[in-house]
């Protein structure tokens, strides 16, 4: 039961959450990319010395590694302000910083909302690869096709209750859409 756990407790217990609204809950838009990336991990010894001061060099190196790994396009590298980046690259920042915590469970809430098709495809490939590697992934989306093509199983909810379970590999996209919309 995680109901009363703090964000840090959830994080350190193996859970990460990619929020629906990256501007309100995923990023501090006026912070640099490196500060956004380390925001949920600043307290770790890797990033903070014994007096509580941030290790800026280590943070920059860590951010540069994630920028390269997740192909985040930033004009000035790790010091780029999040606000100046495209929606797709902002989303990659949010995803990379949470995946870097190596979660056992990843919750994605509208993971491709408001981004271009190329960024969507990159995120879809990443989701499928993480699933193949054994990560537990919960994807929340109001786009039926997004669920159908990226999830082996779908639970349809209505008014907070599960009303249907669908095996995406056993039906066509058209049948899936009809099933989802029938409740």
């Amino acid at each position: 039961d995680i109901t009363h756990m703090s964000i840090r407790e959830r994080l350190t217990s193996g859970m990460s959450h990619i929020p629906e609204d990256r501007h309100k809950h995923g990023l501090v838009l006026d912070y640099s990319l490196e500060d956004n990336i380390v925001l949920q991990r600043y307290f770790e010894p890797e990033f903070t010395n014994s007096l509580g001061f941030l290790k800026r060099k280590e943070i920059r190196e860590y951010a540069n590694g994630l920028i390269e790994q997740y192909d985040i396009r930033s004009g000035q590298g790790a010091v780029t302000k999040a606000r100046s980046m495209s929606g797709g690259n902002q989303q990659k920042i949010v995803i990379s910083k949470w995946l870097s915590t190596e979660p056992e469970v990843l919750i994605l809430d509208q993971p491709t909302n408001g981004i271009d098709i190329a960024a969507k495809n990159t995120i879809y490939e990443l989701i499928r690869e993480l699933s193949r590697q054994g990560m537990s992934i919960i994807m929340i989306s109001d786009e039926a096709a997004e669920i159908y093509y990226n999830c082996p199983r779908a639970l349809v909810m209505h008014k907070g209750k599960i009303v249907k379970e669908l095996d995406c590999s056993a039906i066509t996209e058209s049948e899936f859409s009809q099933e989802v919309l029938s409740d």
Side-chain angles (χ1 to χ4, degrees), residues 7-147:
I7 299 298
R8 187 178 294 180
E9 289 171 321
R10 291 174 189 186
L11 171 67
T12 57
S13 69
M15 179 182 292
S16 288
H17 171 245
I18 311 300
E20 175 180 4
D21 189 332
R22 67 182 162 270
H23 293 151
K24 286 185 180 177
H25 305 290
L27 298 168
V28 179
L29 293 173
D30 291 323
Y31 278 18
S32 66
L33 196 156
E34 66 188 1
D35 287 339
N36 270 288
I37 283 177
V38 80
L39 196 57
Q40 81 289 346
R41 297 183 66 188
Y42 71 90
F43 57 88
E44 295 177 8
E46 179 181 351
F47 305 114
T48 308
N49 69 22
S50 60
L51 299 174
F53 291 102
L54 294 175
K55 297 177 181 177
R56 299 306 302 182
K57 180 181 175 208
E58 287 81 353
I59 291 170
R60 175 132 331 137
E61 288 172 2
Y62 172 71
N64 283 329
L66 291 181
I67 289 167
E68 185 176 331
Q69 181 180 352
Y70 291 95
D71 190 29
I72 299 169
R73 310 277 168 88
S74 57
Q76 298 174 308
V79 298
T80 303
K81 298 285 185 210
R83 179 179 304 285
S84 70
M85 300 173 70
S86 71
N89 283 300
Q90 288 176 348
Q91 190 69 349
K92 287 180 190 178
I93 295 169
V94 175
I95 290 171
S96 71
K97 76 177 184 176
W98 287 109
L99 287 179
S100 71
T101 65
E102 300 178 359
E104 294 174 36
V105 177
L106 177 65
I107 302 170
L108 299 153
D109 191 355
Q110 309 293 342
T112 61
N113 193 21
I115 62 175
D116 65 64
I117 192 71
K120 278 186 182 192
N121 287 331
T122 299
I123 291 170
Y124 292 155
E125 288 172 23
L126 179 62
I127 291 167
R128 289 190 292 268
E129 179 57 29
L130 292 169
S131 179
R132 280 191 293 275
Q133 292 174 8
M135 184 180 291
S136 297
I137 299 173
I138 299 169
M139 182 189 295
I140 302 162
S141 180
D142 55 9
E143 293 183 38
E146 184 167 69
I147 296 293

